[in-house]
Amino acid sequence: MENDAATLYCPNENCQAANPLTHKFCQRCSTPLPKNYLWAVVDGPSVGNPGEILADRYLVLDKFLLLDTKPGLLALTPELDNLQPLKAYLRLIPYRLHVPQVYGVLFLTDESSHREILLLEKPPLVVDDKIQQVHLGSELTTAWRDATSMRQLNWLWQIAHLWQPLASEGVVSSLLDSDVLRVEGSLVRLLELRFDTATSPELPQLGQFWQQLVSGAKPAISEFVDQVSLSLIQGKINSTDQLIGVLDQGLAGLGRSQTPTIKIITKTDTGPSRQRNEDACSPPSGTLVSKPPQPTALAIVCDGIGGHEGGNVASNLAIETIQQQVQQLTKVPYDHIDPSLLLNDLEKAVAIANDKISQRNDGEHRQGRQRMGTTLVMALPVAHEMYITHVGDSRAYWITRHGCYQVTLDDDVASREVRLGYAIYREAVQQSAAGSLVQALGMGSSTSLHPTSARFMLDEDAVFLLTSDGLSDFDRVEEYWETEILPILVGEANLANVADRLVEIANTKNGHDNVTIALVHYQVQYWEPEITIKAIIPESYSTKSTVLPSRGTDPTLLGGPNHKTQVIPDTEPAKVRSLPLQWIVPLICVVAAGALGLFVKQLRSPSGTLPIFSNPLQTQNPAIEATPAAPSLANLSRGWIIQTQRQIPLNNNQSLPPNSFLQVIETKPNPKPASGDFEVHLQRCSTKPATPTSANPQNPQDTTKPLQQANNKLWIKFSQLKSFGVLVSEPNQSLSCDTLPQQPAIQLPAPDTSPT
């Protein structure tokens, strides 16, 4: 119960009036009053007594639940190096749909102690404004019995997707803790992170945890859950990719008992401050599309870059190209669709659109800031799934009766800083150039473009909102979703009227840019199947490796004056893209090299922000294809070259940055052979910019030269290398720290519990 005597201070810095907690708008200036509920991570029985005000701003609602009464102020933050556990939260920002993010730190000092309490925002809560009550969402184990069979498998599917990224950060124990594992409607939400002990849990432990759920599983899937959990325990399922594949089959079977109805409407407007509209959308603005009777429902929003005869051309060309590609994809019956391949194909469609725009730029000799481009976000509902793909700062939101969730992460500098563990998001967005984009369609070849694709299981009515930053800036979606979009789900609002209202809000509350939106209303009719779903466990499984690198691109490549685009004929099918290793460079390395370049955002109005890292629900990374003739990783031996794709923490509180080159000196068996792991002795190599003559006189474009660093050696477990997603190249006679590999790299498989 909230303290009626407490006050909520207006976030408007020119007002800051005190308001009763029951008010939604400031009684003096009418500014919306956000209620930021926070979860306190603290050792001890509680953070304070209910009704107590901590640090002159945090109202204690329950043992570990707080309300920030001064939401307009930044929370205090520590030196990140002094609070190592905090970095796991930051690096997991691509998974913020499930993992709470850091709000700040509460410093409490008394006569005998000094405490630093981590504050997490948007914990899994149930808020009842009518009676002014707030309480934690249900534990998954408690809500399990009352869920449909579709939702039960959906929850397990989400846990399977979270297993590897959480294991990489040493917090996979969170998925085995019933107190931490909460649910919010169809979503799995973590209350906080539980850090692994010296021995990290593995998939058999997950099977043991799931075995406890068998008795409460619905009759249609009881045998299925029992089979899957036993297969995990026995090692028959030994990778998360294999587990996800089995769960996909079960969900596909249940999906036949679910009938969706989909309606899409779009709206675009020039806005009050622009002379022309550079945005574009599909279906055309004002058009209502229903499936059925239409065979395909596809929504696209593009926000053009480049001014007159630029942005509008790019955005319309992107939509035209992607429509053609997706039309071919959706001709395949759902029963024959491989979800991971569909994700890959959607990204290929985006790549083709990118190259067509880039061709146009090259053909018209557009360079630097004159190059035209566009952001993109699209939604493709297929059976019981929603596929979201995007590039740039246009966003996708998922609205259910339980909340509004931003399912895309902005492709901007602020997000990258958080992902690399350098800053808390609330602070990062305050920095100069925080909203600068690091990629958009049309700025260069598709080989340097990394769209993010995700898929979401749908077992309840939902609305997906796609929007340009004309609406999403200044948190307008978070501010108005409950009053404007939620009524769609309860049958109190018309889809077309809501679209008009959102454009009106964008123009009156923001008004600085064009605005374009698409609303996708997904309605579900579901009945429990009478048949029993059985699990099909393959005897042998060839894993589709999941790599979780930073997917940011070098900003100097966006619109570089000498960057030419590969010509894609209209008849050429989507190509398989490979990611040049020298382009996977974190922003910090670019700064060190003195090559900051131009950000795409400089071409636009100073607003807005979207994701540069691989999406939490992505099942494979099409940017790097495994070499068919890849040698067995069990033969990893002296001379192999390894390139890291993610930051690897070391035991001495240091870390190995992304894009580091390492050479294997020797391998040593683990003292515990049953673990299937072994240790690798590595020598670190590095690259730095050099003159063309010192790098490669025959190739002036090659301006990097490997340098050997003396006494820069380390031991690391092979499983840790796998979990951080690395590329390796087989040795040859000329391969050493002084010669980077020229042959194609191969992709390491996802971490698993089987012997290597």
Side-chain angles (χ1 to χ4, degrees):
M1 180 71 70
E2 295 182 2
N3 186 346
D4 293 336
T7 55
L8 192 59
Y9 290 88
C10 178
N12 185 341
E13 62 180 7
N14 297 320
C15 178
Q16 301 184 16
N19 296 270
L21 292 182
T22 55
H23 284 209
K24 291 188 176 182
F25 297 89
C26 176
Q27 56 192 352
R28 179 187 296 173
C29 69
S30 299
T31 297
L33 298 173
K35 285 192 175 182
N36 294 338
Y37 295 103
L38 310 172
W39 181 255
V41 180
V42 58
D43 293 329
S46 69
V47 71
N49 299 317
E52 184 179 356
I53 301 289
L54 304 178
D56 195 36
R57 67 183 290 184
Y58 299 108
L59 171 65
V60 180
L61 302 178
D62 204 346
K63 294 180 179 180
F64 306 102
L65 188 60
L66 306 174
L67 174 68
D68 187 0
T69 64
K70 298 179 179 179
L73 301 180
L74 283 177
L76 297 176
T77 56
E79 292 292 334
L80 298 187
D81 292 338
N82 298 333
L83 198 60
Q84 192 65 25
L86 182 148
K87 290 195 173 183
Y89 288 95
L90 302 182
R91 288 193 288 259
L92 288 170
I93 191 173
Y95 307 88
R96 61 179 177 177
L97 188 62
H98 310 280
V99 179
Q101 288 298 294
V102 177
Y103 189 83
V105 174
L106 170 61
F107 295 93
L108 292 182
T109 305
D110 55 32
E111 296 179 356
S112 59
S113 65
H114 173 78
R115 293 191 295 170
E116 294 182 357
I117 299 172
L118 193 62
L119 301 178
L120 304 178
E121 63 178 336
K122 299 180 180 177
L125 296 177
V126 176
V127 181
D128 192 330
D129 289 327
K130 294 181 180 178
I131 58 176
Q132 292 294 300
Q133 281 192 342
V134 181
H135 58 86
L136 289 176
S138 300
E139 295 180 9
L140 182 146
T141 51
T142 302
W144 177 261
R145 288 184 178 274
D146 296 328
T148 64
S149 54
M150 189 77 178
R151 179 160 295 183
Q152 287 178 339
L153 279 198
N154 187 0
W155 286 341
L156 300 186
W157 182 85
Q158 292 174 58
I159 292 172
H161 275 281
L162 287 169
W163 185 267
Q164 181 178 320
L166 266 63
S168 299
E169 297 298 336
V171 291
V172 76
S173 300
S174 310
L175 300 176
L176 304 177
D177 189 324
S178 58
D179 185 54
V180 168
L181 204 57
R182 305 276 169 159
V183 292
E184 202 167 278
S186 62
L187 282 177
V188 171
R189 306 281 318 281
L190 300 183
L191 186 58
E192 60 181 81
L193 295 178
R194 290 279 193 264
F195 288 82
D196 301 340
T197 57
T199 304
S200 298
E202 297 183 346
L203 287 178
Q205 282 90 337
L206 180 63
Q208 293 169 3
F209 182 72
W210 285 7
Q211 260 290 305
Q212 305 170 35
L213 303 174
V214 173
S215 61
K218 286 291 185 287
I221 62 166
S222 179
E223 183 179 346
F224 181 95
V225 176
D226 187 43
Q227 286 178 285
V228 171
S229 57
L230 287 176
S231 296
L232 286 167
I233 294 170
Q234 297 166 3
K236 294 179 180 178
I237 297 178
N238 53 36
S239 75
T240 53
D241 285 326
Q242 186 183 5
L243 175 59
I244 291 166
V246 172
L247 292 171
D248 271 333
Q249 292 174 359
L251 286 164
L254 293 175
R256 298 186 182 96
S257 298
Q258 181 167 298
T259 302
T261 301
I262 299 148
K263 292 183 178 179
I264 297 176
I265 195 164
T266 59
K267 189 79 174 179
T268 186
D269 191 83
T270 304
S273 62
R274 293 298 181 94
Q275 297 299 314
R276 63 188 65 87
N277 191 350
E278 298 180 44
D279 292 1
C281 58
S282 177
S285 181
T287 303
L288 179 65
V289 172
S290 298
K291 177 187 176 182
Q294 294 296 325
T296 303
L298 173 67
I300 310 175
V301 165
C302 288
D303 186 352
I305 301 168
H308 182 54
E309 294 299 329
N312 60 323
V313 174
S315 58
N316 280 285
L317 183 55
I319 285 178
E320 177 186 343
T321 304
I322 289 172
Q323 281 178 326
Q324 294 172 354
Q325 298 294 318
V326 173
Q327 190 175 26
Q328 297 299 317
L329 297 177
T330 53
K331 288 181 178 179
V332 180
Y334 172 73
D335 290 346
H336 295 81
I337 290 178
D338 182 328
S340 61
L341 295 181
L342 179 54
L343 285 170
N344 195 4
D345 288 338
L346 290 172
E347 294 193 357
K348 290 176 184 176
V350 174
I352 291 177
N354 173 84
D355 285 340
K356 286 188 177 295
I357 299 169
S358 212
Q359 288 172 26
R360 183 77 170 260
N361 280 322
D362 295 342
E364 297 176 3
H365 306 290
R366 293 175 179 259
Q367 299 179 358
R369 299 179 68 173
Q370 281 70 49
R371 291 180 75 87
M372 60 183 176
T374 183
T375 69
L376 174 139
V377 60
M378 62 179 177
L380 176 66
V382 179
H384 55 279
E385 299 180 74
M386 182 68 74
Y387 289 76
I388 301 290
T389 304
H390 80 79
V391 174
D393 68 349
S394 294
R395 295 180 177 179
Y397 292 85
W398 184 4
I399 295 97
T400 71
R401 289 180 174 87
H402 306 279
C404 174
Y405 310 96
Q406 182 183 330
V407 296
T408 52
L409 179 65
D410 287 348
D411 250 338
D412 61 6
V413 174
S415 297
R416 171 181 282 176
E417 290 291 293
V418 178
R419 182 62 185 84
L420 294 175
Y422 297 151
I424 293 172
Y425 187 77
R426 282 170 58 86
E427 280 196 340
V429 295
Q430 302 294 323
Q431 306 303 316
S432 59
S436 298
L437 294 182
V438 296
Q439 63 175 357
L441 299 188
M443 294 299 137
S445 168
S446 61
T447 55
S448 60
L449 182 79
H450 313 298
T452 302
S453 290
R455 60 190 181 113
F456 305 93
M457 295 295 163
L458 302 180
D459 60 32
E460 63 180 332
D461 291 358
V463 174
F464 282 81
L465 167 67
L466 313 183
T467 178
S468 64
D469 60 358
L471 173 64
S472 62
D473 277 350
F474 308 109
D475 298 328
R476 299 304 179 195
V477 176
E478 291 81 356
E479 181 180 335
Y480 286 99
W481 76 270
E482 196 167 3
T483 58
E484 306 301 331
I485 302 177
L486 185 59
I488 296 173
L489 295 174
V490 295
E492 297 177 355
N494 175 277
L495 203 62
N497 292 340
V498 172
D500 290 338
R501 173 65 178 146
L502 291 175
V503 169
E504 179 186 350
I505 289 171
N507 287 337
T508 57
K509 300 296 183 179
N510 291 348
H512 60 283
D513 201 356
N514 310 143
V515 58
T516 302
I517 66 159
L519 289 168
V520 183
H521 185 197
Y522 185 98
Q523 294 176 283
V524 175
Q525 286 185 334
Y526 177 79
W527 59 94
E528 281 293 326
E530 297 180 0
I531 62 171
T532 299
I533 304 296
K534 294 185 178 181
I536 302 175
I537 312 297
E539 293 183 3
S540 61
Y541 185 78
S542 177
T543 60
K544 296 174 183 176
S545 302
T546 300
V547 181
L548 299 170
S550 162
R551 301 182 70 179
T553 55
D554 183 344
T556 61
L557 299 176
L558 299 180
N562 298 318
H563 199 89
K564 291 295 181 182
T565 307
Q566 179 183 0
V567 175
I568 306 295
D570 290 340
T571 57
E572 182 175 339
K575 64 186 181 64
V576 177
R577 293 170 287 117
S578 61
L579 182 61
L581 301 182
Q582 69 269 28
W583 286 0
I584 310 176
V585 185
L587 182 62
I588 189 66
C589 295
V590 180
V591 175
L596 284 174
L598 296 175
F599 290 102
V600 176
K601 195 65 175 182
Q602 292 173 317
L603 306 179
R604 311 177 58 188
S605 61
S607 60
T609 58
L610 219 166
I612 55 179
F613 306 102
S614 52
N615 193 283
L617 300 186
Q618 188 171 354
T619 56
Q620 71 175 22
N621 182 1
I624 305 174
E625 298 292 338
T627 302
S632 170
L633 295 173
N635 297 325
L636 183 70
S637 60
R638 180 181 178 86
W640 280 45
I641 290 291
I642 298 174
Q643 184 184 26
T644 63
Q645 293 291 287
R646 300 187 64 204
Q647 182 170 311
I648 301 181
L650 305 176
N651 295 331
N652 56 357
N653 292 326
Q654 296 181 343
S655 61
L656 197 63
N659 210 44
S660 297
F661 285 93
L662 307 165
Q663 186 168 31
V664 177
I665 300 174
E666 63 175 313
T667 61
K668 183 173 70 174
N670 193 292
K672 299 179 180 179
S675 68
D677 204 353
F678 59 91
E679 294 185 345
V680 185
H681 195 191
L682 300 168
Q683 173 177 288
R684 182 179 176 187
C685 314
S686 67
T687 61
K688 74 174 185 178
T691 62
T693 55
S694 63
N696 187 348
Q698 297 179 349
N699 181 9
Q701 301 298 322
D702 181 7
T703 59
T704 60
K705 179 182 179 181
L707 299 176
Q708 182 172 334
Q709 296 182 354
N711 301 321
N712 200 352
K713 300 177 181 179
L714 69 151
W715 286 95
I716 192 168
K717 289 184 178 180
F718 181 58
S719 60
Q720 188 177 10
L721 281 178
K722 290 196 298 181
S723 68
F724 280 86
V726 301
L727 299 174
V728 299
S729 184
E730 192 177 18
N732 55 50
Q733 293 181 347
S734 61
L735 191 64
S736 69
C737 253
D738 297 313
T739 308
L740 290 179
Q742 300 299 316
Q743 63 189 58
I746 67 169
Q747 186 176 356
L748 284 177
D752 56 41
T753 57
S754 62
T756 305

